[in-house]
Amino acid sequence: MRGRQSEQHRQEQRTEQSASKKILEVALWGTIFWGIVRLTAHFLNLTPYGLGSFARPILAGIDERSLAALGLGVIFLFVESLIVSAIFSTLFGKLRVWWSGLVLGAVMLLVAGFFFRIGNWDMSTLSTEAAWYLSYGLFIGMTLTLEASDEE
């Protein structure tokens, strides 16, 4: 009886470590891929918000287009991705619906819109930001949902 409980405890720990590693991996690759997409969209003037805009809370007088702002923006995007992935995994990890990632992206867009005054955006900025956040939410949602269903 005791051996079975010990084995079950080790298996739960492995599952928990696997989930943590997957969340970290999703945050890393999401930051890399969607960071490049955001840099490209900003370079092509599709959005006024580059990677440096993620670091606005601590920039205090530093130009958002500087190398320091870019580095801080990447770090902030990674931390945001890590937090959002952990929250999604906790709340919706076992939910097997493809559109849960869209809901995640829409919530992320609303939160970002609150901080960046979504009411002042023109239609082109709104559509670019909506596409970026919805696709990023889909990436996080579908990847974590697929991993959760593969583990079962």
Side-chain angles (χ1 to χ4, degrees), residues 53-88:
S53 63
F54 285 103
R56 272 189 183 177
I58 63 167
L59 282 179
I62 300 173
D63 184 24
E64 285 183 11
R65 295 171 298 211
S66 70
L67 193 56
L70 180 68
L72 283 173
V74 168
I75 292 169
F76 268 68
L77 180 59
F78 176 74
V79 170
E80 177 186 344
S81 300
L82 197 60
I83 292 169
V84 167
S85 297
I87 290 171
F88 181 86

Side-chain angles (χ1 to χ4, degrees), residues 13 31 61 78 81 87 127 152:
Q13 280 183 330
T31 300
F78 176 74
S81 300
I87 290 171
S127 62
E152 293 175 4

Side-chain angles (χ1 to χ4, degrees), residues 24 41 49 51 61 69 77 88 91 97 109 126 138 141 148-149:
L24 186 63
Y49 305 110
L51 275 176
L77 180 59
F88 181 86
L91 296 178
V97 290
L109 175 66
L126 181 62
L138 269 175
S149 66

Side-chain angles (χ1 to χ4, degrees), residues 7-63:
E7 178 63 32
Q8 187 178 19
H9 180 68
R10 280 186 292 228
Q11 187 176 18
E12 287 174 5
Q13 280 183 330
R14 274 186 252 130
T15 303
E16 193 173 299
Q17 287 175 347
S18 174
S20 298
K21 282 174 60 176
K22 184 49 67 180
I23 289 170
L24 186 63
E25 186 178 347
V26 166
L28 175 71
W29 288 109
T31 300
I32 291 170
F33 185 74
W34 266 264
I36 291 170
V37 170
R38 177 154 299 270
L39 280 173
T40 304
H42 182 66
F43 178 75
L44 297 173
N45 292 323
L46 298 174
T47 181
Y49 305 110
L51 275 176
S53 63
F54 285 103
R56 272 189 183 177
I58 63 167
L59 282 179
I62 300 173
D63 184 24

Side-chain angles (χ1 to χ4, degrees), residues 68-143:
L70 180 68
L72 283 173
V74 168
I75 292 169
F76 268 68
L77 180 59
F78 176 74
V79 170
E80 177 186 344
S81 300
L82 197 60
I83 292 169
V84 167
S85 297
I87 290 171
F88 181 86
S89 181
T90 303
L91 296 178
F92 303 111
K94 302 295 180 186
L95 193 63
R96 290 188 180 148
V97 290
W98 67 269
W99 50 265
S100 61
L102 283 176
V103 172
L104 174 68
V107 169
M108 288 174 26
L109 175 66
L110 291 175
V111 169
F114 174 75
F115 288 109
F116 292 108
R117 297 187 180 124
I118 197 169
N120 296 335
W121 291 354
D122 58 358
M123 190 52 85
S124 61
T125 301
L126 181 62
S127 62
T128 302
E129 293 298 320
W132 191 84
Y133 277 105
L134 291 175
S135 65
Y136 192 42
L138 269 175
F139 167 74
I140 292 172
M142 292 181 85
T143 303

